[in-house]
Amino acid sequence: MVETDKNVLIVGAGPAGLALGNLLANASISSCIVDKARQAHQQSRACSIQPKTFELFRSLGLYEELQTRSIPLLGNRVYVDGVLQVEFSFEDPDTGETTVAIEQCVVEQMLRDRLTRLDVEIEQGVECVGVTAEANGMRVKLLENKEERERYADVLVGCDGGRSAVRKMAGIQFPGFKYPEKSFISDIVLESDLDRSYMHYFLDAATRLVVVPLPEPNRFKVSGCTSLPEGACSRSVLVDSLERHSTGRFRIEDVLHFEFYEMHSRLAETFALDKIVLCGDAAHLMPPNGGQGLSLAFEDAQILAECLGSYLGSEELSKIQPYVDRRTEVEQRIREAIATKKRYSYEHLKQGATERHGEQQRIVAQELR
């Protein structure tokens, strides 16, 4: 038996999928979200929301909660070989609003709770394993507890991350490249005298360390790249990174989570193929400069929700085209993120090559508005 009660089936209960589900509900479009993970993750992952994204939370009635559960992130302080070299502001000069620090899992829970209040389904432990195009929509094969079932959807949206199963089943290529550096991300409890109103970016010739305060006291997201060999344990990586850059300012109290990850820059060859659409990391991956990946995911959801509303009201696939055309803008944003990463390299900063005024203008234009 094929279930036929939902117009849009969203695969992936991350930021893009949850935001899209909420926006579709605002437009009275029924949807269901499935995710192969049995439960929501509890790590910080992305940890900042920029002013240009606040409008999304206002539209969902979540802006006040966002502000209550976050802390202001006034800017970025950049250190080279332990010496503070430059500071950039995260305040939008037009509105006075500034970026906030908040754990991704907290943002996701806010979006989940709202969907629950609206009776929108989120099915955990359900994997999308097959897709068949039909005249009026998509027949989707789902796997739950080793049992298969099928669901019909007018549109299938892959919000299932960089390794997207939906993208692979659609046969959409994902060209790009992987950075060679050995990157890590961690949630830690840290005793430090760092100003918790700023993110702190440390560089030396061999490593990078990014320290971002989180709302809970002494809680930080720490990420970067290490020169330690494969097989190094998490604590040794953190101790080495912190000792290299801290000049005695850090003491680890607890390591809550640690993982290595691969950093990619990739862009799907198309954002939609017939009635299959990609959204968020399933459509694009970029260096984690200034939280751009999370912002792009939320922007995707906003534009796609509007296009889906037009399409479902007319059944004309051309109504999805504005979202497909967004790929050109995203491609440029990825190029800019790659260029920014190079400007923040040790060699570049050591030469003093990041000109403060020009870089501040770029942050305002690209990351805050």
Side-chain angles (χ1 to χ4, degrees):
M1 180 178 178
V2 181
E3 301 171 49
T4 61
D5 57 330
K6 304 296 177 185
N7 285 336
V8 179
L9 178 60
I10 301 168
V11 178
L18 294 170
L20 180 60
N22 273 281
L23 290 163
L24 292 176
N26 273 13
S28 300
I29 298 171
S30 59
S31 68
C32 173
I33 303 173
V34 300
D35 193 291
K36 68 178 181 180
R38 293 193 173 276
Q39 59 185 15
H41 71 86
Q42 298 301 315
Q43 292 80 49
S44 62
R45 298 190 179 181
C47 60
S48 64
I49 301 291
Q50 300 160 342
K52 65 181 177 183
T53 313
F54 291 166
E55 187 55 40
L56 167 67
F57 291 88
R58 290 190 179 98
S59 71
L60 300 179
L62 297 176
Y63 176 74
E64 296 300 328
E65 183 179 359
L66 175 70
Q67 294 295 324
T68 299
R69 302 184 70 172
S70 64
I71 57 174
L73 200 57
L74 301 181
N76 181 17
R77 290 179 173 172
V78 181
Y79 308 75
V80 180
D81 291 329
V83 178
L84 177 61
Q85 177 168 307
V86 67
E87 178 181 309
F88 299 110
S89 172
F90 288 162
E91 181 180 291
D92 184 329
D94 292 337
T95 66
E97 294 179 313
T98 190
T99 297
V100 297
I102 184 171
E103 295 169 273
Q104 179 178 319
C105 57
V106 174
V107 175
E108 290 180 7
Q109 191 58 56
M110 290 166 54
L111 295 170
R112 284 172 174 272
D113 290 346
R114 186 177 188 272
L115 288 171
T116 298
R117 294 193 293 270
L118 296 172
D119 294 322
V120 177
E121 295 177 88
I122 305 175
E123 300 183 21
Q124 299 286 161
V126 178
E127 185 175 1
C128 177
V129 294
V131 180
T132 303
E134 297 191 344
N136 297 316
M138 308 301 299
R139 185 186 296 263
V140 184
K141 185 182 294 184
L142 302 174
L143 183 66
E144 181 179 12
N145 295 325
K146 299 181 180 180
E147 294 187 2
E148 289 188 355
R149 58 186 170 92
E150 290 186 329
R151 182 187 284 274
Y152 174 85
D154 292 312
V155 179
L156 173 66
V157 183
C159 299
D160 48 342
R163 296 185 176 89
S164 172
V166 172
R167 187 186 64 242
K168 292 173 183 176
M169 285 184 284
I172 298 173
Q173 298 301 306
F174 200 40
F177 63 92
K178 179 178 74 173
Y179 288 90
E181 58 198 51
K182 185 180 180 184
S183 301
F184 67 88
I185 187 169
S186 180
D187 292 336
I188 66 175
V189 180
L190 189 68
E191 184 178 300
S192 167
D193 66 356
L194 289 177
D195 188 332
R196 287 177 53 81
S197 298
Y198 289 82
M199 69 174 287
H200 302 268
Y201 184 92
F202 299 88
L203 280 172
D204 65 17
T207 68
R208 179 183 69 251
L209 179 69
V210 184
V211 182
V212 183
L214 297 172
E216 187 177 334
N218 293 345
R219 179 91 172 260
F220 292 85
K221 174 191 168 185
V222 173
S223 62
C225 69
T226 179
S227 59
L228 292 184
E230 292 289 338
C233 72
S234 61
R235 194 170 188 90
S236 66
V237 170
L238 288 170
V239 169
D240 177 75
S241 296
L242 293 168
E243 286 183 349
R244 276 176 177 268
H245 299 287
S246 71
T247 61
R249 287 178 291 195
F250 303 142
R251 185 175 70 81
I252 298 175
E253 295 182 348
D254 196 9
V255 179
L256 306 175
H257 173 77
F258 180 94
E259 65 179 286
F260 291 109
Y261 74 97
E262 296 179 338
M263 189 186 302
H264 292 253
S265 290
R266 298 188 181 275
L267 181 66
E269 62 180 5
T270 181
F271 283 6
L273 187 62
D274 195 15
K275 301 177 186 68
I276 299 177
V277 187
L278 303 178
C279 185
D281 284 355
H284 43 71
L285 291 174
M286 64 194 306
N289 305 339
Q292 289 294 291
L294 186 58
S295 292
L296 277 176
F298 285 140
E299 289 174 31
D300 283 355
Q302 289 173 289
I303 296 168
L304 180 56
E306 184 174 346
C307 290
L308 288 177
S310 298
Y311 165 68
L312 292 169
S314 67
E315 296 188 2
E316 297 177 14
L317 277 174
S318 61
K319 300 295 186 181
I320 299 177
Q321 193 61 40
Y323 179 74
V324 177
D325 292 342
R326 172 172 164 75
R327 183 184 181 279
T328 301
E329 177 190 348
V330 173
E331 183 176 22
Q332 181 59 35
R333 298 269 287 274
I334 291 175
R335 287 200 189 102
E336 291 166 351
I338 293 170
T340 300
K341 189 176 188 303
K342 290 180 179 178
R343 286 197 300 275
Y344 279 79
S345 68
Y346 176 78
E347 293 80 9
H348 205 77
L349 289 170
K350 189 67 175 176
Q351 296 171 3
T354 296
E355 196 275 318
R356 189 189 191 285
H357 180 66
E359 182 65 5
Q360 185 63 65
Q361 288 182 320
R362 185 202 64 78
I363 289 172
V364 171
Q366 296 179 13
E367 299 181 9
L368 303 179
R369 293 175 176 166

